[in-house]
Amino acid sequence: MGIIEILGVAGSLSLLAGWRLYLTILATGTAMHFGWLPLPEHLAALQILANPWVLGVAAVGTLAEFFADKIAWVDSAWDMIHSIIRPLGGALLALALVDSSDPAWQVIAFLLGGGGALLSHGAKATTRAVVNVSPEPFSNAAVSTGEDVATGGLLALAIAYPPLAIVIAVLMAIAAVVVIVALRRLLRNIKATLKSALGDAPAPPDALPPAPDRPAA
């Protein structure tokens, strides 16, 4: 497998870790542990994920995230706590996929992995900030469940078909950038609308009373 495919798999895992770090580790490790997913030679470094202790910690984290991520505002607090954990986890996952004898590629993989996880984490956190503004109680659970399903499906595709992993990574990165830009604009518009509705917005210049005339000296 070429370096492009390796970077594709590393990028996919890192970006997915920005959504669901614990689920990414648990799903990959469980499939390896039980032989459901034959371990390709290029992913031999990920065998550590099949360690029972690693699986146990990942299972606890997955369970906690599953419930926290479906409750309004609790999900945002959870995202804030993981603003460092997810990028670091994504960087370490990417680092495990490159040749340990090549320090240059290790540094590149670490930086790209951490950056990719931070990018997808930012898109996720921004999405939740917008969803939490919604008054109905079901949007959080729906969005969270969609992320669970998407993470599992894309993870399986990236590992089973390494040539496809680079496409997945590129599309996820582009989607994350688009989501962040679009939702940040939406958040600004929502804040402006709320301020206007509450009467906190500054009045337009033509609505200000005229300044009193000064007496002549």
Side-chain angles (χ1 to χ4, degrees):
M1 188 177 72
I3 188 63
I4 299 300
E5 292 174 322
I6 293 176
L7 291 179
V9 174
S12 297
L13 292 181
S14 301
L15 286 161
L16 290 172
W19 284 357
R20 294 286 189 275
L21 173 62
Y22 304 112
L23 179 60
T24 299
I25 295 174
L26 179 63
T28 305
T30 300
M32 293 175 179
H33 182 77
F34 290 102
W36 300 336
L37 181 65
L39 186 64
E41 182 180 352
H42 63 273
L43 293 180
L46 289 178
Q47 185 63 48
I48 186 62
L49 300 184
N51 182 284
W53 286 103
V54 175
L55 290 176
V57 173
V60 172
T62 299
L63 187 63
E65 187 167 58
F66 179 83
F67 290 106
D69 208 52
K70 291 174 174 58
I71 303 174
W73 301 114
V74 174
D75 56 352
S76 292
W78 183 269
D79 287 338
M80 185 180 299
I81 294 172
H82 285 78
S83 295
I84 297 176
I85 299 175
R86 285 173 182 157
L88 181 58
L92 293 176
L93 282 173
L95 187 62
L97 294 173
V98 299
D99 187 358
S100 58
S101 64
D102 191 340
W105 277 114
Q106 282 192 308
V107 173
I108 292 173
F110 187 85
L111 294 176
L112 291 179
L118 181 61
L119 180 63
S120 59
H121 167 76
K124 177 185 184 300
T126 306
T127 301
R128 291 315 177 83
V130 173
V131 171
N132 284 333
V133 178
S134 174
E136 48 79 27
F138 305 109
S139 54
N140 292 81
V143 172
S144 178
T145 302
E147 290 175 355
D148 292 333
V149 174
T151 299
L154 293 175
L155 179 62
L157 285 174
I159 294 179
Y161 303 100
L164 189 60
I166 186 65
V167 178
I168 294 174
V170 171
L171 291 179
M172 286 188 64
I174 294 174
V177 172
V178 171
V179 167
I180 290 174
V181 173
L183 292 184
R184 284 191 180 278
R185 289 179 179 174
L186 179 60
L187 277 176
R188 286 198 297 267
N189 291 337
I190 291 175
K191 289 181 180 179
T193 302
L194 289 176
K195 286 184 178 180
S196 177
L198 295 174
D200 294 333
D206 56 356
L208 296 176
D213 296 333
R214 292 182 179 181

